[in-house]
Amino acid sequence: MISTTQLITLLNQSTPLENILEIIPDLDFVSYLEACLEKKGLKKSEVIAQTNMQKNYAYQICNGTKKGSKDKIIQLALAMRLNLHDTNNLLSLSNNGLLYAKVKKDAILIYALQHHYNLFETNELLIAHGFDALD
């Protein structure tokens, strides 16, 4: 698979767009989530048990039948102990934007991800700084 850096290099060069598009993999939220689970050696049931979501709703997000909010995707990322890069990829693929360090709530979430906080610890941190817990 071609790296993002390699793709950016090609996009900056005079390589025809059609050639570039042919080598970009078809990524979607579900396939990326499943790849993250596999990479981490986790089962969906284990991850969902560590979130604050109803099981049925969480499974619907995981299989793509429901669109999860930014908070829900972050709950999954925290439960999987994803890094910022993988979390932002999940957020982007779910059309929820990216975490941005200059936004205070996002900065707290980035801190929690980088320090491997679980959902409970992250919610405590959010509340301590005047933000709502991840719902």
Side-chain angles (χ1 to χ4, degrees):
M1 180 183 286
I2 190 164
S3 73
T4 304
T5 305
Q6 291 169 319
L7 279 172
I8 296 294
T9 300
L10 289 174
L11 290 165
N12 286 330
Q13 296 173 349
S14 59
T15 306
L17 180 60
E18 292 74 24
N19 295 355
I20 297 169
L21 293 176
E22 288 176 7
I23 60 175
I24 297 176
D26 290 328
L27 279 181
D28 61 31
F29 173 79
V30 173
S31 61
Y32 194 80
L33 177 70
E34 289 174 0
C36 289
L37 289 167
E38 185 177 324
K39 181 171 77 172
K40 294 279 193 169
L42 298 169
K43 295 179 181 177
K44 281 182 197 172
S45 58
E46 296 170 335
V47 170
I48 289 170
Q50 295 179 41
T51 67
N52 217 16
M53 293 185 258
Q54 292 182 333
K55 285 183 184 179
N56 289 343
Y57 184 64
Y59 277 107
Q60 290 172 335
I61 292 171
C62 289
N63 70 25
T65 57
K66 293 278 186 187
K67 181 188 179 300
S69 67
K70 188 173 187 174
D71 282 1
K72 299 298 185 198
I73 303 307
I74 292 169
Q75 286 181 42
L76 289 169
L78 289 166
M80 290 189 286
R81 305 259 183 208
L82 295 183
N83 61 29
L84 177 60
H85 176 78
D86 288 337
T87 300
N88 272 337
N89 286 346
L90 276 180
L91 287 167
S92 179
L93 290 167
S94 65
N95 296 317
N96 279 302
L98 305 176
L99 291 174
Y100 183 52
K102 289 187 176 183
V103 174
K104 286 185 181 181
K105 181 179 179 182
D106 286 1
I108 293 167
L109 294 170
I110 291 168
Y111 182 90
L113 287 163
Q114 299 296 73
H115 291 87
H116 310 291
Y117 282 27
N118 63 27
L119 179 62
F120 178 77
E121 294 166 326
T122 302
N123 280 338
E124 282 186 333
L125 198 59
L126 285 166
I127 291 166
H129 290 86
F131 294 95
D132 292 335
L134 298 172
D135 59 4

